[in-house]
Amino acid sequence: MSHECQCNNDGTVEETLDVLEIPHTVRHAAILGALAALPVKGSLLLKAPHMPNPLLSEVKDLEGEFNHEVVKDGPEHWLVRLRRAA
């Protein structure tokens, strides 16, 4: 599978996004933008200092169907896999 930017990324590599590396004022918008860019069946591993429940509520408003899986449940950090189902 290829996509418009011609970067030859076939979507099989799962990127980890550490939210602490994103300025707080644009954090949710940046994460939601990254999720919106995922191809169908693509996933993103989110590393956060807490369970990102407020963000997960916002994901429901994105176009497409997303699901999440908690990979690491604290206490130092949380890892949550977000996958675009459709």
Side-chain angles (χ1 to χ4, degrees), residues 14-19 31 35 38 42-57 59 66-74 77-84:
E14 181 176 60
E15 300 289 337
T16 298
L17 184 59
D18 185 343
V19 302
I31 297 167
L35 290 173
L38 283 177
S43 66
L44 177 70
L45 197 59
L46 191 70
K47 181 179 178 184
H50 59 82
M51 183 61 188
N53 289 321
L55 177 75
L56 294 175
S57 293
V59 169
F66 290 86
N67 54 51
H68 72 277
E69 167 193 4
V70 177
V71 176
K72 182 174 182 348
D73 195 13
H77 64 271
W78 279 251
L79 289 174
V80 178
R81 177 173 291 115
L82 295 144
R83 182 175 308 277
R84 180 184 280 261

